[in-house]
Amino acid sequence: MTQRKRALLTGITGQDGSYLSELLLEKGYEVHGVIRRTSTINTDRIDHIYEDPHVEGARLFLHYGDLNDGTMLGRIIEEVQPHEIYNLGAQSHVRVSFDSPEYTVDCVGMGVLRILEAIRDYQQRTGNEVRFYQAGSSEMYGLVQAVPQNEQTPFYPRSPYACAKVYGHWQTINYRESYDMFACNGILFNHESPRRGETFVTRKVTRAVARIVAGQQKKLYMGNLDAKRDWGYAKDYVRAMWLMLQQDKPDDYVVATGETHSVKEFLELAFKRVNLNWEDYVEFDSRYLRPTEVDLLIGDPAKAKQVLGWQPEVTFEGLVGLMVDADLRAMGLESASDVNLELATVRDRVAF
C-alpha cells in the first residue's frame, strides 16, 4: 500500500494556504497546517474543506505554532514528519510593513531561517528528506532593474516586507547549497481571488463595488492608481508551488502571467462589470501612498512554463470578473439581473 504523503503548511488560513490545501487534499495528501493561537476563530477560508465531498478520505489537521517560535516549529515537524513543507505564512501587507517593520522582518525573514534550521535538524537526525517551498514575492524586485523580471533579475526591495522576503530567498538558496536540501523559491507575482484579504487593493476594490451597488458605501478612497502589477489567479499559482516540489531537482521559479495592468485598469474593469463609471466613485487619499513606491512589475514565467509545464488559466479580465461576482453574491446579489435592478436605484442612494 502506497504511503499517503504528508504536507505541512504555514499560513494555511490565508488565501494561498486555503487553495493549496484543497489541491493537496484532492491529490490524496494528509495536510497539516500551522495556525497562530488567537482569541477569535480565523479558519473561515478552510472551514468548507471538512464538508467537501470531493476530498473524501483526505485528512486535515491544525497545529498551534508561530513563525516567531523556532522551538515550536521544530516540535511540529517532529510530530508531523512531513514529506513537504510550504512556507506561506507572513505579515504580507506591504504598506503595513512600514508601520510594523520589526515584526514584519522577524516573521517574514527570520521565520524562514527558523523553518530551514528545523528541517536541517530533523533530516540529520532521521535521514528523512523534507522538500521545502519558500513563498517569495515580486516585491523583491522593487525598483526594477530589468523589464520583464525573471530568475536572474537583480533584486531592489523597496519596503521592510520586500527586504525580509529577499533575506528568506537567499537563506533558502544557502541551505540548499550548504546542506543539499530540496528547497525551492517561488517568486510569485501578484495573485488574487475572492479569498484575498479585504485590505489588499484588489479585494478592497471589488468589495467596494459590491457595497456601492447594494447602497452600503458611497465612495472608494485610493492611493496610487498608476502602479502597474502582473496580476494572476491564486488558484492557478498554488498549482505551480506544488509542481516545484515534484521535480527531480530543486530550483527557483518566477510565477507570473507576463502581462502588466495598472490599478486604474483594475478599477475600470471592476466598475464596468456592474455598468458604473469608476470616476464617479473613486477619490484620492494620500494616506494610502507608500513611502517608496513600486511602479512596475511584470514577470517572465518562461522557465516555469518550460520546466514545470505550468500555465495560468484565468485572464486578467476573468479574474476581475470572478472577484466582483463573488463580492456581489456576498451582498445577496446573486445574478446579473439582480445587479441591474439594484443599479436602477443606486444613483438615488449615492451622493455624488
Side-chain angles (χ1 to χ4, degrees):
M1 183 176 178
T2 304
Q3 183 186 32
R4 184 191 297 272
K5 276 191 175 182
R6 290 182 300 278
L8 177 64
L9 283 62
T10 66
I12 192 171
T13 59
Q15 169 190 255
D16 292 4
S18 65
Y19 283 121
L20 182 58
S21 294
E22 290 174 345
L23 175 68
L24 294 173
L25 289 169
E26 288 168 2
K27 293 183 177 297
Y29 279 65
E30 180 177 294
V31 176
H32 296 255
V34 178
I35 61 172
R36 287 178 296 166
R37 178 71 178 91
T38 62
S39 59
T40 57
I41 297 173
N42 64 343
T43 58
D44 54 296
R45 290 188 180 96
I46 57 174
D47 285 342
H48 67 283
I49 293 176
Y50 297 105
E51 303 171 355
D52 190 344
H54 299 296
V55 294
E56 182 178 354
R59 306 294 300 279
L60 174 65
F61 300 92
L62 300 179
H63 307 261
Y64 286 122
D66 197 301
L67 287 170
N68 300 81
D69 188 341
T71 301
M72 185 172 286
L73 291 171
R75 288 173 181 167
I76 293 172
I77 292 173
E78 188 73 30
E79 177 185 346
V80 174
Q81 299 182 27
H83 301 93
E84 299 172 2
I85 294 179
Y86 298 83
N87 182 34
L88 312 179
Q91 189 300 99
S92 58
H93 198 286
V94 177
R95 180 64 189 84
V96 171
S97 77
F98 286 99
D99 300 323
S100 186
E102 186 175 341
Y103 171 75
T104 298
V105 171
D106 191 39
C107 172
V108 176
M110 289 298 295
V112 180
L113 181 64
R114 294 181 183 110
I115 295 176
L116 288 168
E117 266 296 283
I119 293 172
R120 183 173 75 91
D121 177 69
Y122 172 75
Q123 289 190 159
Q124 284 183 339
R125 288 185 296 101
T126 66
N128 298 329
E129 181 187 64
V130 179
R131 297 193 168 197
F132 175 68
Y133 170 82
Q134 165 58 16
S137 169
S138 59
E139 288 286 333
M140 297 189 296
Y141 294 118
L143 187 61
V144 298
Q145 304 298 292
V147 178
Q149 296 88 52
N150 61 27
E151 293 81 4
Q152 282 73 48
T153 303
F155 298 134
Y156 198 132
R158 302 265 281 174
S159 67
Y161 168 80
C163 290
K165 280 293 186 183
V166 171
Y167 175 86
H169 176 93
W170 282 110
Q171 284 291 13
T172 300
I173 293 174
N174 179 48
Y175 272 67
R176 179 171 73 212
E177 296 178 350
S178 300
Y179 304 113
D180 195 28
M181 290 172 57
F182 195 107
C184 299
N185 286 295
I187 308 173
L188 270 60
F189 281 63
N190 294 66
H191 46 289
E192 319 295 321
S193 76
R195 299 180 192 174
R196 188 58 140 153
E198 295 172 359
T199 60
F200 290 86
V201 64
T202 52
R203 185 72 195 293
K204 177 181 175 180
V205 169
T206 61
R207 185 170 181 267
V209 167
R211 287 174 58 83
I212 287 169
V213 170
Q216 296 186 14
Q217 185 170 331
K218 294 180 179 181
K219 293 290 183 180
L220 171 61
Y221 296 93
M222 300 286 290
N224 181 11
L225 302 187
D226 296 321
K228 293 183 176 180
R229 296 292 184 269
D230 186 326
W231 275 302
Y233 182 33
K235 196 169 184 178
D236 286 341
Y237 283 40
V238 300
R239 184 162 33 87
M241 299 177 189
W242 176 78
L243 285 168
M244 290 180 206
L245 298 196
Q246 312 314 308
Q247 305 306 305
D248 292 333
K249 296 180 180 180
D251 207 343
D252 308 320
Y253 300 88
V254 163
V255 181
T257 68
E259 299 179 8
T260 190
H261 299 275
S262 68
V263 175
K264 186 181 296 183
E265 287 179 79
F266 195 100
L267 281 166
E268 290 172 346
L269 282 175
F271 278 88
K272 182 181 178 182
R273 186 78 174 179
V274 294
N275 299 316
L276 292 178
N277 179 8
W278 71 272
E279 294 176 302
D280 294 332
Y281 302 93
V282 176
E283 292 188 4
F284 173 75
D285 189 332
S286 61
R287 292 178 299 175
Y288 295 112
L289 294 177
R290 302 179 185 178
T292 50
E293 184 56 77
V294 174
D295 296 315
L296 170 65
L297 292 174
I298 176 171
D300 177 5
K303 181 178 177 181
K305 290 181 177 181
Q306 180 180 355
V307 178
L308 304 179
W310 177 83
Q311 288 279 354
E313 296 179 357
V314 175
T315 64
F316 174 66
E317 186 171 359
L319 172 66
V320 177
L322 69 87
M323 290 182 67
V324 171
D325 289 351
D327 277 320
L328 288 170
R329 287 193 296 271
M331 297 302 301
L333 302 169
E334 296 293 342
S335 66
S337 60
D338 292 328
V339 172
N340 290 332
L341 286 172
E342 290 291 330
L343 289 174
T345 58
V346 70
R347 287 181 174 81
D348 296 331
R349 297 194 299 260
V350 176
F352 292 94

